[in-house]
Amino acid sequence: MASHDVVVVGGGISGLSLAWKAAQDGQRVLLLERSGRVGGSLHSERTADGYWFELGAHTTYNSYGAFLDIVVGAGVAGQVRERGPARSRMGLLTHGEYRWLTPPRVLLQLNWLEAARHLPLGLLSSKDGQTIYSRFSRLLGRGNYDRVLGPFLAAVPSQRADGFPLSGPGSLFKKRPRRKDFIRSFGFDGGLQVVAEAASRATGLTVETGVGVEAVARQGAGFSVTTSDGRTIAAPALALAVPSEVAVTLLRPQFGELASHLASIGTAVVDSLGVVLPRAKAWMPECAFLVPVDDLFFSCVTRDPFPDSGHRGFAFHFRPGLTRAERLGRVLEVLRVTEADLLHLAERRCSLPSPALGHGAIVAELDHHLAGGRLMLTGNYFDGLSIEDCVARSFAEWRRVGPAGA
Ligand SMILES: Cc1cc2nc3c(=O)[nH]c(=O)nc-3n(C[C@H](O)[C@H](O)[C@H](O)COP(=O)(O)OP(=O)(O)OC[C@H]3O[C@@H](n4cnc5c(N)ncnc54)[C@H](O)[C@@H]3O)c2cc1C
């Protein structure tokens, strides 16, 4: 008899939230994570002297209801931390010139003459079947989109968001109810990774890090997985919570149709490089982030909303295809320091989905193939890439397959 009711592959927030929910329902859950830590893109980089900064996701909101269920249930609501005044300051870097802005002043960066020429017709045009680019360039003009809006929107998914669907699955814009008992936007003492770590300690959940899954197969009425340390582990239910291109590789041998639908979702590699400086060495005014126009990186996210008396932390998210020397060189240039000034340097590579028009149809096909089975697929390539989209998808998959859906 299998010693686990559910095996979950991948220990990012998607896998952890599914595992956590199943464990809450009294299931014996095994989660296998390839890297040495849980959290995936919830990656709070910690230094030897107790400082931390976000190398991946950085902000959560009181509209993240499913995520907040975990925060409360896993006992870390007390670690919620309000973002300080730097949260409402941002930088725009245009060909060597820095402008420090608050949200109303961002609007002043627009060419309002150009906007006035486009707004009347743009407002009348239908939102259906639009991409981010087609909608906003129609509303405000191409110049405004290219100079201001496009770079700010690219900072969200660390890639040009021009082709993302404006609405529906894959969209960056979601309206969700807000939980009034939490502040509007927040982080956590110790960083977002504390939520992942708390979820991983759920009763009934066994987490093995440093164990990759190399193959998945049907076994009787259930499934088996083959691990990087040579084990074959069987369970009646299986969840894949890995980036879509990894899921394609794992599914292709035995779940070919699912794999081929999944393979039609584009992905973009994000190379992140984070550094810590002594506070006295940092020239940049305190701000939440810096967005460049037409640069090697899409954004530089700071830890300034959670100020520290001795350190400043900066995470740069780069476009793919650059060498390490090019990335580091650009970081040092922007921060106006030398490598010897850095107290800490960390790097990570991940991939994020690049949904396009028609994404909703791909998701519908995937769900059609999954229906009635006990294989679960979750991740940031369904409804959207925010943490809340991931957790909501995981909870929905567990509702479909778990005791409530049986
Ligand atoms: C730079 C950046 C900033 C972001 N900022 C925000 C933000 O502020 N707010 C927000 O809501 N969202 C943000 N996001 C988006 C959000 O963080 C991600 O979409 C989400 O965390 C993805 O979670 P996931 O579990 O689906 O995937 P991942 O976090 O990628 O986790 C997948 C896990 O699977 C593991 N894995 C891969 N292959 C295998 C294998 N074969 N066997 C076992 N394990 C495997 C990986 O090691 C990884 O831990 C950001 C993303 C990035 C990259």
Side-chain angles (χ1 to χ4, degrees):
M1 197 183 87
S3 50
H4 308 285
D5 301 310
V6 188
V7 169
V8 178
V9 183
I13 192 63
S14 298
L16 282 165
S17 50
L18 196 145
W20 182 83
K21 197 72 173 168
Q24 299 298 299
D25 276 348
Q27 305 286 298
R28 296 161 307 161
V29 186
L30 173 66
L31 183 147
L32 301 169
E33 162 56 44
R34 185 171 59 186
S35 76
R37 45 169 275 283
V38 291
S41 291
L42 270 56
H43 182 153
S44 309
E45 179 70 13
R46 292 157 183 169
T47 66
D49 56 358
Y51 183 74
W52 60 268
F53 67 100
E54 301 291 13
L55 193 53
H58 41 89
T59 310
T60 43
Y61 303 89
N62 64 358
S63 57
Y64 283 16
F67 175 71
L68 283 170
D69 285 349
I70 300 180
V71 169
V72 173
V76 285
Q79 281 172 257
V80 165
R81 194 159 156 201
E82 190 165 9
R83 299 162 79 227
R87 73 177 187 278
S88 50
R89 281 198 295 275
M90 59 202 80
L92 180 65
L93 167 59
T94 312
H95 308 305
E97 189 202 334
Y98 292 84
R99 266 167 285 175
W100 304 103
L101 309 165
T102 49
R105 296 197 68 187
V106 173
L107 292 179
L108 294 179
Q109 304 304 306
L110 295 173
N111 175 342
W112 280 99
L113 208 66
E114 183 188 12
R117 279 202 309 274
H118 287 81
L119 266 173
L121 266 183
L123 283 172
L124 286 177
S125 68
S126 161
K127 289 187 195 167
D128 295 341
Q130 300 287 322
T131 62
I132 284 189
Y133 180 78
S134 66
R135 175 67 178 163
F136 289 108
S137 63
R138 244 176 245 180
L139 270 182
L140 299 170
R142 285 182 185 184
N144 277 325
Y145 185 89
D146 292 341
R147 277 187 315 103
V148 185
L149 207 58
F152 275 104
L153 290 170
V156 179
S158 299
Q159 59 187 289
R160 289 299 295 193
D162 307 1
F164 277 46
L166 180 70
S167 54
S171 164
L172 295 177
F173 310 110
K174 302 272 158 62
K175 254 204 148 359
R176 305 185 180 101
R178 293 186 178 276
R179 261 186 81 156
K180 296 285 187 256
D181 50 338
F182 282 87
I183 44 182
R184 201 176 169 90
S185 73
F186 51 88
F188 288 81
D189 276 327
L192 281 171
Q193 202 175 311
V194 302
V195 182
E197 288 161 348
S200 76
R201 290 192 290 267
T203 307
L205 169 58
T206 305
V207 174
E208 292 188 26
T209 55
V211 181
V213 165
E214 297 187 337
V216 304
R218 288 197 176 89
Q219 184 174 307
F223 306 90
S224 69
V225 301
T226 307
T227 60
S228 50
D229 55 6
R231 286 175 289 159
T232 299
I233 301 169
L238 171 66
L240 295 188
V242 289
S244 62
E245 71 278 10
V246 180
V248 169
T249 309
L250 291 176
L251 289 169
R252 191 158 271 143
Q254 291 213 359
F255 306 87
E257 273 198 276
L258 269 176
S260 67
H261 289 298
L262 209 47
S264 55
I265 300 175
T267 57
V269 169
V270 183
D271 280 319
S272 302
L273 195 157
V275 297
V276 179
L277 290 179
R279 173 165 276 278
K281 290 270 180 190
W283 75 271
M284 215 185 259
E286 288 208 358
C287 62
F289 57 87
L290 170 70
V291 166
V293 178
D294 199 14
D295 209 310
L296 303 184
F297 62 103
F298 289 109
S299 67
C300 160
V301 179
T302 81
R303 213 202 88 163
D304 296 341
F306 308 104
D308 177 83
S309 57
H311 309 78
R312 303 256 321 259
F314 304 88
F316 287 73
H317 305 295
F318 282 93
R319 57 181 75 237
L322 302 168
T323 64
R324 181 178 187 275
E326 285 170 323
R327 289 192 291 270
L328 182 58
R330 190 66 185 124
V331 168
L332 299 177
E333 202 169 52
V334 169
L335 295 176
R336 301 177 185 163
V337 292
T338 66
E339 202 170 344
D341 294 321
L342 305 180
L343 297 174
H344 185 85
L345 185 153
E347 294 167 90
R348 79 182 294 262
R349 169 173 286 186
C350 72
S351 76
L352 285 176
S354 313
L357 282 185
H359 185 72
I362 303 174
V363 170
E365 280 296 339
L366 290 171
D367 283 340
H368 172 74
H369 286 284
L370 289 167
R374 303 205 74 203
L375 172 65
M376 294 166 273
L377 272 189
T378 180
N380 52 11
Y381 53 90
F382 287 91
D383 222 30
L385 54 76
S386 77
I387 292 167
E388 179 64 7
D389 288 318
C390 295
V391 180
R393 168 73 191 182
S394 293
F395 283 8
E397 276 296 80
W398 179 248
R399 270 197 306 277
R400 177 176 68 79
V401 165

